[in-house]
């Protein structure tokens, strides 16, 4: 498991300029790597996900499931110190906007992740 995830993560980081990942793919990566935070490439993969997800957040094709998947990685992103300034506030706003199509499990995933974060009042996270 860890070895395969490490290979995938290293390849994603190595080919980051060639890869075109949509919101669903970014969400799947975020969700997966949030469970493998001990792998050295995890920090670089999450950093890439947060960079790429921001511009896509305003695309109609982004679902609440995609938002929930990225959101689920935030506690790990916070521990690794890779969350861009203002990202948490933006993703919360996006979750609110997408909530009209909410699935219960997506809302649950978002709320569980919020309670796993250390300090939401950290000025670096919400600006």
């Amino acid at each position: 498991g860890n070895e395969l995830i490490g290979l995938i993560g290293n390849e994603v980081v190595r080919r980051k300029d060639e890869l075109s990942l949509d919101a669903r793919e970014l969400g799947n990566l975020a969700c997966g790597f949030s469970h493998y935070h001990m792998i050295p490439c995890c920090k670089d993969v999450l950093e890439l996900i947060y960079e790429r997800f921001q511009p896509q957040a305003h695309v109609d094709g982004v679902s609440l499931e995609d938002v929930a998947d990225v959101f689920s990685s935030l506690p790990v992103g916070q521990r690794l110190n890779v969350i861009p300034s203002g990202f948490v506030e933006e993703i919360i706003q996006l979750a609110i906007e997408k909530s009209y199509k909410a699935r219960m499990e997506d809302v649950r995933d978002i709320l569980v992740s919020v309670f796993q974060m250390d300090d939401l009042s950290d000025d670096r996270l919400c600006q």
Side-chain angles (χ1 to χ4, degrees), residues 97-115:
E97 290 171 16
K98 299 290 181 177
S99 65
Y100 70 95
K101 296 184 197 176
R103 297 181 324 152
M104 294 300 283
E105 54 268 29
D106 297 330
V107 174
R108 179 202 62 223
D109 291 347
I110 290 169
L111 292 174
V112 166
S113 297
V114 166
F115 292 114

Side-chain angles (χ1 to χ4, degrees), residues 54-55 57-58 85-95 97 125:
Q54 282 183 300
H58 304 289
S85 177
F87 185 75
V88 172
E89 187 174 84
E90 288 181 25
I91 202 161
I92 289 171
Q93 183 60 42
L94 184 61
E97 290 171 16
L125 301 177

Side-chain angles (χ1 to χ4, degrees), residues 7-21 29 44-45 48 52:
L7 288 172
I8 292 169
N10 286 327
E11 192 64 18
V12 166
V13 172
R14 188 180 72 76
R15 296 182 53 210
K16 69 181 179 184
D17 294 331
E18 304 166 30
L19 292 176
S20 176
L21 300 168
L29 277 173
D44 295 329
V45 172
L48 173 70
R52 299 267 178 102

Side-chain angles (χ1 to χ4, degrees), residues 19-27 48-63 66-67 70 87 90 94 98:
L19 292 176
S20 176
L21 300 168
D22 64 20
R24 171 168 238 127
E25 293 163 331
L26 290 169
L48 173 70
I49 290 165
Y50 301 146
E51 284 174 16
R52 299 267 178 102
F53 195 77
Q54 282 183 300
Q56 291 193 19
H58 304 289
V59 176
D60 287 336
V62 176
S63 71
D66 304 329
V67 175
V70 172
F87 185 75
E90 288 181 25
L94 184 61
K98 299 290 181 177

